[in-house]
Every structure is written in C-alpha cells, then in structure tokens.
Amino acid sequence: MRTSTTNTSPRKPLSAGKGGEPPGRRATLLGRIAGWCFDHRVKAVGLWLAALFTIFGAAGAVGPRFSASSAVPDSGSAAGFAVLQEHFPDLGTGGQSGTIVFRARQGVDDPAVRAAMEALFTLVDAGFPDGAGVPEHPGGTVVSPYSEGGKGQIARSGPLANQVAYAQVNLSSAVDDTGSGLLGQAIRAHAPVIEGLEVLPGGQYLAVIEPPQTELIGVAFAVLVLIIAFGSVLAMGLPIAVALGGVGAGIGTTLVLSHLFAIPQGTILLGMMIGLGVGIDYALFIVSRYRDGLHVGRSPRDATVAAMDSAGRAVVFAGTTVMISMLGLLLVGIGWIGGMGIGVSTTVLATMLTSTTLLPALLGFARTRVELTRWRGLIAAGFTAVALLGLGIGLAPLAAAGAAFAVLTLLASVAVRPLRRPVPRRAAKPVRATYAYRWSRTIQRRPWRWLIGATALLLVLAAPVTSLRLGWADEGNFPEETPTRQAYDLLAEGFGAGFNGPFLITVVPGAGDSAQAVRRLHGALERTAGVAAVTPPIANDPARPAAYLMRLVAETAPQDDATSDLVRRLRADVIPEAAAGTGLDVHLTGSAAVNIDITDYLAERMPIFFGAVLALSFLLLMTVFRSLLVPLKAVLMNVLTIGAAYGVVVAVFQWGWAGQLLGIEGGPINPFIPLMLFAVVFGLSMDYEVFMLSRIREEYLRTGDATTSVEDGLASTARVITAAAAIMVVVFASFMLEDLREIKLFGLGLALAVLLDATLVRMVVVPATMELLGDRNWWLPGWIERLLPHFEIEPTQPAVPALDEQLTPAGLAPVSVDCPRRPVVSKA
C-alpha cells in the first residue's frame, strides 16, 4: 500500500531566476532563444514573415523542377538507355514514356482521322510551339502508328480491329514530372474533335495529378480536438498557425531545392501530410507545457522558457529523429528516393523551427489569454471547422455555410456585445485521480497478461507481411474515371495487357555477321513463352549499323509476377544463349524494365536501410535516457508496430480486402513504399516515446520509485499524447480520400501505425514492460556510461516536492500538471 503526504502550507508563487529563467537553474540555449523571441515578439514574427516572403518569392521565381528520372545504377535498363542515348537520341533517353491512345469507330485509317492525329503528333513532337503551356521542345519524340517505326501499333485483329491505335511518346531525362504532366494535359486540350474519335493520354508520366484538398479534413478535425483538449480558441489556434507556417516554409524550400536535388513531385504531398501532423503535435506539446507553467504560478515569460527547456528540447530531439530516418533514404542509392527524404526532412525541419522560435513569439502576444475564451469564439471555431471539412470533401455548399455562419457569429457578437458572465472555474482532477492513472495501475497489476495480449494482437496484424509482394503497380490501378486508366483499359482491350508496358531490346553488334546474329536473336525472342510480339530489328543507320532496336511486348500486364519472371528469364537464359559467340551486347530496357530493376534493387538494400535506422535510433535513445533496456524495448516495439502496419497494408492493397471501400484493386506493393513507411513511422513513433519516457524518467530521478514513476509519467502525458495522436491519425487518414493508390497506401499505413503506437504500445506495452523490468529499466553498464556523451531532454530539476503536493493549499483540490484547469469562459 502506498501513501503520500500532502503539504498544507500556503502556495508560494514560483519566482524567476536570474535573467528571467525558471528558478533553480540556468536556462538552456533553446530557453534563451525562446526568451528572446518572447521579449522581441514583433521582430521575431517580422523575421518569419520576411523569411516566408523570401522563400515563396524564390520558389515562384525559379519554379519547381521535379525529377522524373528513375534510372537504377549498374542495371540492365540503365545500360540499355545509355545505348539509346548514344545511337537513338530521337527516342528519348530518360526511361520515361507514355502513349497517345485513340479509338475511331469509323476506323483509324479514315483519312480525316489520320490527318487529325498526325497533326497532333506533330504538335507533341514540336513541343506545342503555339503556347499550350508545355515547355517548348520537351525532349521527347512521338512514334506514330502510321510511320515505318510504328508498325504493330494499330490493332488489326480482335473485336476492336482497325479501331484502336496508339502512338509511343518517349521522353528524355530533361523532362521533369511537371513538364510531363503538362504535356499530358496539353494532349487532351489539343485532341482533335471528330465525331466517333476518342483520344486519351496514357501512362503514369503523362497523368495529370490534381492538387489535394483532403488535408483540410485533418485541419478541421484538429480544430475540434484542440478545442476539446485546451478549451480555448486561442490555445487551439497557436498549434495550427505554427504548423501551417512550418509546412508553407518547408514546401517553398523544397521547390527551390528541386533544382539542386532529384526530388519527385510526390514529395510535396508527402511533406504536407507529415508536416501537418508533426507540426501540430510539436506545438501542442509546447503549448501544453506552457499552460502547465502558468498553472504552477510562473509568469508567461518564465512559462515559455520552461516549456522550451523541457517540451522544446523533446521537440528538437523528436524532429531530429524523424529527419535522420528520412535522410537515411540516401543510403538506398537511388536519386529520387533520396530526394524524397531530403524534401520531407526539409518540411520537418521547418515545422521544428517554427515550433521553437515562432511559437514563443506568438505566446508573447497571447500571454495569459490562452486561458480565456468566449462562447462566440467557440461557436465561430466550430463553424470554421465545418467550412474546412466542406472544402476537404468537396462540398462547396457546406463550406460556404460554415464560413458564413462563422462570420455572422463574430459580427453578431461585436454588434450585441452582451454582458460578460464568467463561468466558475472547475478544479481539475489531480494526476492520480485521472482515468489514465487508473488505467496504468490496471496494466501494472497484471503486466504479463496485458503484454502477451497486446503483442499477440500486433503479431496477428503483422502476419500478412509474410506474403508481401513487391512490384510496381501499373496504370490499371488508377481510378476508373481518369484518362490514364481509360487509356490503359482501351489499350489492353485492343492489343492485350502487355502493350501497356512494352520493353526495348538494344543490341550493339560485335565482329562478324552481326545482321544474321541479330535476326537469330529476334527469332529466339519471338519463340520465348510469355512473349506476345517482337518488332523487327531497326538499325540506327541502315548503311553502317552501330546499334539495333527491337520492341518486345509480353502477354501479361506490367505488374504481373509472370512479367517479372519473363524479364529475369530473358536476361538470364534466352538472351545469353542467343548471343553466345556472336559478340552482341544486348540489354533489355524500357519503363517496365526500369520498374522491375528498381524492385530488385530496393529489395536488396532494404535490410541495410532498416539496420542503419534501427542502430542509430537505439544509440540516440540510449544516449538520452542513459539506459540499455529502454531503447532496446523501444526499438523492438516500434518494429512490431511497423510490422502490424505493413500487414494491414498488404491485406488491403495486395490482397484487395475492403478494396471497394477505398476504390482500389489488389496489386503489388510499390517497392519504395515500405522504405518510406519505415522511415516516417519509425521517426514519428519516437516522438511519443521521447515525450512519454522523458516524463517517466523525470519522475524516476525525483522519486527513485520505478513503479510510481511509470504511473505518474503515463498519467501526466496521456491526455496530450492522445490528443496529438488523434490529430495525426485523422490528418493521415484523410489522405485515403485521394485518387492515387500510393497516397491512399501512405495514408492508411501512417494512420494505422500512429493509432497502434499511441494505444497498444504506449498505453499497454510500455507500462507492462516497465513494470516487469522495474529498476532494471534504467540500468546502464558503467563502461558504456563513460563512453556516451551527455544529453538530456529534461534538464536537471532542483529538488522540489511533487507538483500535486506543492500546489495543494489547505482546503483546495490539487491541480494536475496534465489536466489543466478549464479556461475562464464568458458569454461575451
């Protein structure tokens, strides 16, 4: 039975120490920066506005240059593209290609149809010189089905015989994602208008990606959660404003960096998704600590410095962990994947900077008003959330109504100005009277039962990952209403599924009768099982051929396992046998081949990346918490959480479970997604690990009791972590409403991982394992202790009684650190 004493002496306000820092210690560098921003809040906000203006001005001046390069180092596809660049420069050299698929009920050979389509091909080939919004001479060429090189690009058999044809659009490495998307948009805009003629741009590189609005759903939900958590409109607005400022600065910087690094276009969406989640969370933790400081009697400035000395340091550590995880993608060795890591890390860094510099300045303006709100503010904030929700789900009437009612509420309150009637302040429950404390006690009474149950559930969720099939999902996974999907289906119906991902065979002749050797190679390729068609070899120079080119079409779709097996069989058996003794240098390349090479390349390097991130995270946690078992347990639990997220992703996106709800079909998992999910989820899971364990360790260092420190630490952080996790889950889950399959996958994986981490792991596994380990949680061999540098999230505190005891004047209920008093609410 545990007993606690209550100090009944009158409460004394906590006075500031030297320089305005919290009493008992000197403020850290981060605290001093926060103090400067608080004191010079106008300058600090002005500097941030100037920085944002400069960033957006630079981004607008140079524009984006997103990379579309997907070459794999030292691969067969890269070697084939090198041959194309040298001997067939007109066919494009970047590995990106698309199609112009067209269907004419009167027949594609109809003179009017042929003349109109050849005019369109000429426009595309010339780069739309009439100002169609596409960069002039985009660096690609069109292979017309009416040309000598386009033989076989008109369907001559089947139900759509002579009605369907396609032109191959080959793009060079000079065309970025923005240019290729604009090209697809221009093709649609300049498609000839003839009765019975349908023209569709095909291929992922010519797809037009509409800018998302679903992130507004997450912001709307964040408004509601923060109002519930803080009970104050001003306290709610601070985290959202700081997060939006950080995301804006990060995206603008990423646009500028796209000229220096190979950053793909999808990085912006991913950075927005992660930046909003972590930005709101980081500011939420700091504002919560700031309000805690006000509740214990600190001045607004001292509360700001103390919040930065504690929660601010945790934010810096957590943000650094996320950036390290993302920058670990540079180890993979593929430029655009490393570019995604750079872009997302930039956005996380920006949100971290706004949380630690802009937020203290805004707190300097808000001061104690974060504890005050009015009914009109709550009502207006609710209508604002409704307006944001309407914009996010595309319901304009709902958005307009929400915005109108929000404005009317504010105008009515100004016009009427009723008498203020403060609502009596409700005393908050002490930490040990909260539900979270009772929950922790329940877990710690039977730790083995809860630990085994939670671990078993995570293992069940992770089980599908054993059947994970990596592969590049083709355009057949685009939404049915998109031109990209319609072009894919029309091409498959008219020619066969394999025509959506043709391969290129490049041949550099050797000594002897090279023409005869190339013909034998062509025959061997045609006889190979799984090959639908092979075009005759074309020489770069018929008089003195230095290279030959053939186009090979598989019988199966690009994403099918059979297609990958065919490529491996051609490279390992068919081509070497046919070219043996001839001196031919043969390579199989093309967009579909690149995708297969990327899959194999990433599958080989995943263990290296996973091991590097796990090892570095373990060392960081061991340095911060001065423990061997705590970081080991944290790493293992995070791996289990990520495995559970992987398992659900496989069940939904590979097996197709609940696919109709998300509007997707079962298919392979794109090989870069497990890498990205691991980097993001592992970094984000460390956030809650750091915030929770830092409070537990703080209590342990103060009391020396391994059991009560877990109870008090979990109870004092549960409310804030729950609110932060709820916001992040909805922000991520809102991206499941996007059209692109990869974005849906990211949204589901990230939302589920955060949900599991904040519930099963933080609320069950952590208290159970820490109860079982007891004092051994904080054991560290002496020789390791001497080797590690010293860095603490929570600076050493002076010896003071527990907050519950310190703040309990005679006759008054104790005030909880975690459960702040409800703000004063007036009807004005």
Side-chain angles (χ1 to χ4, degrees), residues 264-511:
Q265 188 173 8
T267 305
I268 297 298
L269 187 57
L270 188 60
M272 186 184 304
M273 181 192 306
I274 297 170
L276 277 177
V278 301
I280 294 175
D281 275 13
Y282 292 165
L284 170 62
F285 285 118
I286 293 173
V287 172
S288 178
R289 273 301 183 96
Y290 169 77
R291 300 181 77 208
D292 291 344
L294 295 180
H295 297 157
V296 300
R298 289 194 173 107
S299 68
R301 186 189 190 281
D302 293 343
T304 301
V305 174
M308 285 300 161
D309 273 346
S310 53
R313 288 160 63 93
V315 162
V316 171
F317 179 82
T320 303
T321 305
V322 174
M323 290 190 294
I324 289 174
S325 298
M326 296 305 304
L327 292 176
L329 294 171
L330 293 170
L331 298 175
V332 174
I334 295 181
W336 64 270
I337 291 181
M340 292 189 79
I342 292 173
V344 173
S345 298
T346 300
T347 305
V348 173
L349 176 62
T351 58
M352 189 171 67
L353 290 176
T354 55
S355 298
T356 53
T357 57
L358 178 60
L359 181 55
L362 297 179
L363 290 174
F365 288 106
R367 304 179 73 85
T368 58
R369 285 189 293 274
V370 296
E371 297 293 295
L372 178 68
T373 194
R374 299 181 176 89
W375 290 117
R376 69 188 185 200
L378 293 175
I379 296 172
F383 282 130
T384 301
V386 172
L388 291 172
L389 179 63
L391 289 174
I393 62 178
L395 289 179
L398 181 63
F405 279 113
V407 173
L408 288 175
T409 301
L410 295 177
L411 291 177
S413 66
V414 172
V416 179
R417 298 188 64 82
L419 180 66
R420 297 183 181 183
R421 296 177 182 177
V423 177
R425 186 186 299 237
R426 293 186 302 170
K429 294 181 180 180
V431 168
R432 296 188 178 182
T434 61
Y435 174 78
Y437 180 84
R438 295 193 299 272
W439 173 263
S440 179
R441 294 291 302 124
T442 301
I443 300 296
Q444 290 174 271
R445 277 195 293 268
R446 296 178 177 85
W448 278 114
R449 178 183 301 178
W450 287 98
L451 177 61
I452 293 173
T455 304
L457 179 57
L458 290 172
L459 288 174
V460 169
L461 292 176
V465 79
T466 57
S467 64
L468 173 66
R469 178 168 74 91
L470 297 177
W472 212 268
D474 56 31
E475 292 81 9
N477 292 279
F478 274 64
E480 294 182 357
E481 66 275 8
T482 61
T484 304
R485 173 63 181 274
Q486 294 168 3
Y488 178 95
D489 292 341
L490 185 58
L491 206 57
E493 185 179 0
F495 295 88
F499 277 79
N500 281 290
F503 300 95
L504 300 177
I505 308 294
T506 64
V507 183
V508 177

Side-chain angles (χ1 to χ4, degrees), residues 221-233:
F221 185 78
V223 170
L224 298 179
V225 171
L226 290 172
I227 286 180
I228 294 172
F230 286 144
S232 167
V233 174

Side-chain angles (χ1 to χ4, degrees), residues 163-190:
Q163 295 185 32
V164 177
Y166 71 94
Q168 186 76 20
V169 182
N170 299 305
L171 307 174
S172 75
S173 56
V175 181
D176 60 12
D177 284 348
T178 304
S180 62
L182 289 174
L183 181 61
Q185 194 173 20
I187 290 172
R188 292 196 66 192
H190 286 72

